[in-house]
Amino acid sequence: MLQIFLIALSLAMDAFAVSISTGVAIPGFGPRQAARIGAWCGFFQFTMPLIGWFLGSSVKTYIEAVDHWIAFGLLALIGGSMIREALSGSGDAAVTDLSVRRLFLLALATSIDALAVGITMAFMTDINIFLSAAIIGAVAFVLAMLGGLLGHRLGQLFQQRATLLGGVVLVGIGLKILAEHLGYL
């Protein structure tokens, strides 16, 4: 159980960081938005290990070969968009809420590693995948909510540059994921 909890914490760190940058960038971010981003991240972190479990070893090598590129691409797309909006002066108007599209992309980008973990768990004989996935999802939900609320507090301190900072953080997280999987970190 401790091992699953530690896995859940490590998987939720990207969702936590992305939620901080989202809380920074979205004006008026509050508990409702924190619950939304938490629910999306928690749901994806719950679902992806289950999908990975059922896929098993048949696609493991294919997913491991590209998961970091997918995560990087999604985070760079969202972060780049936020940077462009901030630099064009339309950042405050363009990033005013958490659209379903934005939530989907953030949750997907931060949960791809959970898919690989689910595939790995398929080879473990003494694991309850539903309980493990529930713990992973619950931890992601809580950390994403807390990250969003923390980000909102930080956003109040950096109001004018919040969107730019949020975009840079997202691109940075994407680069970190890419560098880790390519063996540079």
Side-chain angles (χ1 to χ4, degrees):
M1 197 55 79
L2 177 62
Q3 181 182 3
I4 298 300
F5 182 73
L6 293 174
I7 289 170
L9 280 175
S10 67
L11 289 173
M13 286 298 119
D14 286 342
F16 178 71
V18 164
S19 296
I20 289 173
S21 68
T22 301
V24 165
I26 307 255
F29 190 94
R32 183 171 177 244
Q33 291 85 356
R36 285 185 69 209
I37 198 165
W40 276 83
C41 289
F43 175 77
F44 271 72
Q45 290 282 358
F46 167 75
T47 305
M48 292 301 243
L50 292 176
I51 292 170
W53 174 267
F54 290 113
L55 289 176
S57 63
S58 62
V59 296
K60 180 180 179 183
T61 56
Y62 300 115
I63 292 170
E64 287 177 340
V66 297
D67 67 345
H68 51 284
W69 288 105
I70 294 169
F72 168 73
L74 292 170
L75 290 170
L77 175 73
I78 297 166
S81 173
M82 290 171 69
I83 292 168
R84 187 181 66 251
E85 291 164 357
L87 294 177
S88 72
S90 65
D92 288 343
V95 184
T96 58
D97 64 50
L98 290 174
S99 68
V100 170
R101 178 180 179 268
R102 187 176 300 261
L103 285 167
F104 174 80
L105 291 174
L106 290 173
L108 179 63
T110 59
S111 66
I112 290 173
D113 285 347
L115 180 69
V117 166
I119 291 171
T120 303
M121 288 179 169
F123 300 112
M124 299 176 184
T125 57
D126 60 342
I127 206 129
N128 180 334
I129 188 60
F130 293 104
L131 177 61
S132 299
I135 291 169
I136 291 168
V139 169
F141 171 76
V142 169
L143 287 181
M145 269 191 68
L146 292 174
L149 293 172
L150 176 62
H152 174 65
R153 292 282 184 203
L154 293 172
Q156 291 174 332
L157 298 174
F158 303 111
Q159 286 176 354
Q160 293 200 317
R161 304 259 193 239
T163 302
L164 178 62
L165 178 63
V168 169
V169 168
L170 289 179
V171 172
I173 292 167
L175 288 170
K176 178 188 138 308
I177 290 169
L178 189 61
E180 284 175 351
H181 286 314
L182 294 176
Y184 294 114
L185 292 179

